């Protein structure tokens, strides 16, 4: 199994005027590879256009340069050579990492697209995780808060008060997707789209519209964001992002799919080095440091059980974006 390498160099500066994007060699390489592969069927939805929209829209506001990660994570096949992984990663003046992963196999398609701001900015993390098979779709689209919005009123007011109408619009079009645990809900915002639906072209069109609107809103936030100069606040932002990365690297629901397709070693490397890059570099705290409720008496991570507390079968925010749920933590086997 090999990686295809693409690299270039450029200087980085964030500006509000239109800037040229470096050649997307990886897109062309990956697309040609997909066309040559007879094992990848044509799908009713193409997540490639989601990524292309995001890159085109981003370059209207900033100058992107390829991340050093692009040299290692660009393209690879699954163990059975029936699936493909296409990866892109970039940086910018206010963006620590913009990265995308598209997985295509004979039976499914996955998009994992996330943009992390630099620690000098407390802007939410843009997150799009889409899973599609012939019969079902599992969707998460959100501006993941960097800081606690359930207890920190000022942070919620700063970034989400004006976005509540947008969230309500798509909450009507995409019903709540079912039980979401209280351990996970703290990483989502009042405008999160968490939904499941059967595959049909109309739903994909609405999903594409939602992705575009949410991403444009995120770009507005990062463009307006003022660089933090207080070292203590920068550290606070950095630790909050590291906590987020630590949770996702350990508990991401896509871990099982990655292990099945590329094996345990490569899956772990992709999770920690690419998808949640920074978990080993931005801080020294461990999962047990941030989430001691998972720690066994021996100090090891509890693999047999999760502390999930209450499951929210319905959206736990009201029409004003106020959290109306409650937390009660319990140990259960899963």
């Amino acid at each position: 199994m090999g990686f295809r390498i693409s690299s270039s160099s450029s200087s980085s500066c964030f500006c509000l005027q239109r800037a040229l994007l470096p050649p997307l060699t990886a897109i062309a390489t990956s697309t040609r590879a997909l066309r040559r592969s007879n094992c990848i069927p044509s799908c009713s939805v193409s997540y490639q256009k989601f990524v292309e929209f995001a890159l085109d829209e981003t370059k209207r506001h900033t100058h992107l340069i390829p991340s050093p990660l692009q040299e290692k994570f660009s393209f690879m096949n699954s163990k059975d050579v029936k699936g493909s992984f296409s990866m892109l990663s970039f940086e910018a003046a206010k963006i620590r990492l913009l990265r995308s992963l598209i997985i295509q196999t004979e039976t499914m398609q996955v998009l994992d697209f996330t943009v992390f701001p630099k620690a000098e900015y407390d802007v939410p993390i843009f997150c799009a995780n889409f899973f599609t098979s012939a019969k079902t779709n599992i969707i998460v689209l959100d501006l993941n808060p960097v800081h606690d919005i359930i207890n920190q009123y000022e942070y919620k007011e700063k970034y989400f008060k004006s976005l509540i109408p947008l969230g309500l619009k798509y909450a009507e079009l995409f019903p709540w997707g079912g039980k979401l645990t209280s351990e996970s809900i703290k990483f989502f915002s009042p405008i999160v789209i968490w939904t499941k639906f059967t595959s049909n072209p109309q739903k994909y069109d609405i999903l594409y519209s939602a992705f575009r609107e949410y991403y444009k809103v995120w770009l507005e936030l990062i463009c307006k964001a003022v660089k933090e100069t207080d070292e203590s606040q920068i550290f606070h932002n950095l630790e909050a992002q590291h906590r987020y990365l630590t949770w996702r690297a350990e508990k991401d629901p896509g871990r099982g799919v990655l292990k099945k397709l590329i094996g345990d070693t490569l899956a772990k490397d992709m999770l920690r080095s690419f998808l949640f890059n920074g978990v080993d570099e931005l801080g020294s705290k461990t999962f047990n440091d941030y989430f001691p409720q998972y720690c066994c008496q021996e100090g090891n991570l509890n693999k047999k059980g999760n502390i999930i507390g209450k499951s929210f079968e319905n959206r736990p925010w009201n029409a004003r974006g106020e959290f109306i749920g409650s937390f009660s933590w319990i140990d259960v086997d899963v």
Side-chain angles (χ1 to χ4, degrees), residues 26-224:
I27 288 182
T29 302
S30 300
T31 303
R32 288 195 298 270
L34 292 178
R35 288 173 179 171
R36 288 198 302 267
S37 175
N38 293 325
C39 68
I40 305 297
S42 59
C43 300
S44 56
V45 60
S46 171
Y47 287 135
Q48 184 64 55
K49 74 174 184 178
F50 287 65
V51 176
E52 291 174 352
F53 168 81
L55 293 177
D56 288 342
E57 197 66 24
T58 305
K59 72 181 181 180
R60 296 172 65 89
H61 301 282
T62 187
H63 184 64
L64 291 174
I65 62 172
S67 164
L69 296 175
Q70 193 68 49
E71 296 184 3
K72 180 178 180 181
F73 297 98
S74 180
F75 180 83
M76 65 189 300
N77 289 317
S78 59
K79 291 188 297 183
D80 61 7
V81 200
K82 293 183 178 180
S84 67
F85 289 67
S86 300
M87 292 155 280
L88 291 170
S89 55
F90 296 92
E91 299 173 355
K94 293 185 178 182
I95 295 173
R96 183 180 69 82
L97 177 64
L98 179 158
R99 55 88 175 145
S100 71
L101 166 66
I102 293 179
I103 305 174
Q104 288 190 321
T105 73
E106 292 178 313
T107 59
M108 70 175 186
Q109 185 177 186
V110 174
L111 170 65
D112 191 329
F113 181 88
T114 303
V115 192
F116 301 96
K118 289 187 176 179
E120 290 83 1
Y121 308 93
D122 63 357
V123 174
I125 298 166
F126 182 86
C127 173
N129 296 136
F130 304 159
F131 171 88
T132 293
S133 66
K135 294 183 178 180
T136 190
N137 298 265
I138 303 173
I139 303 298
V140 174
L141 178 62
D142 193 24
L143 276 58
N144 294 156
V146 173
H147 298 296
D148 179 12
I149 59 169
I150 295 175
N151 300 307
Q152 293 187 18
Y153 177 80
E154 290 184 1
Y155 185 78
K156 186 181 75 170
E157 287 288 296
K158 179 179 180 180
Y159 286 117
F160 294 102
K161 181 179 180 180
S162 64
L163 304 183
I164 298 303
L166 176 65
L168 292 175
K169 169 185 174 181
Y170 284 104
E172 291 292 324
L173 298 169
F174 290 112
W176 190 251
K179 291 183 178 180
L180 197 63
T181 62
S182 55
E183 61 183 353
S184 300
I185 204 73
K186 294 179 180 179
F187 293 96
F188 294 119
S189 80
I191 67 168
V192 61
I193 297 175
W194 151 238
T195 192
K196 301 175 183 178
F197 59 84
T198 56
S199 298
N200 72 77
Q202 291 74 26
K203 281 290 188 181
Y204 294 137
D205 289 342
I206 298 173
L207 180 62
Y208 185 46
S209 295
F211 180 89
R212 288 183 297 172
E213 285 200 67
Y214 273 55
Y215 195 65
K216 285 182 177 180
V217 162
W218 184 86
L219 283 174
E220 290 178 7
L221 294 180
I222 194 70
C223 284
K224 294 177 181 177

Side-chain angles (χ1 to χ4, degrees), residues 290-308:
Y290 287 123
F291 311 101
Q293 62 268 32
Y294 281 88
C295 186
C296 300
Q297 291 183 347
E298 300 81 6
N300 299 319
L301 181 64
N302 183 356
K303 296 287 188 179
K304 294 181 63 178
N306 278 333
I307 302 177
I308 65 170

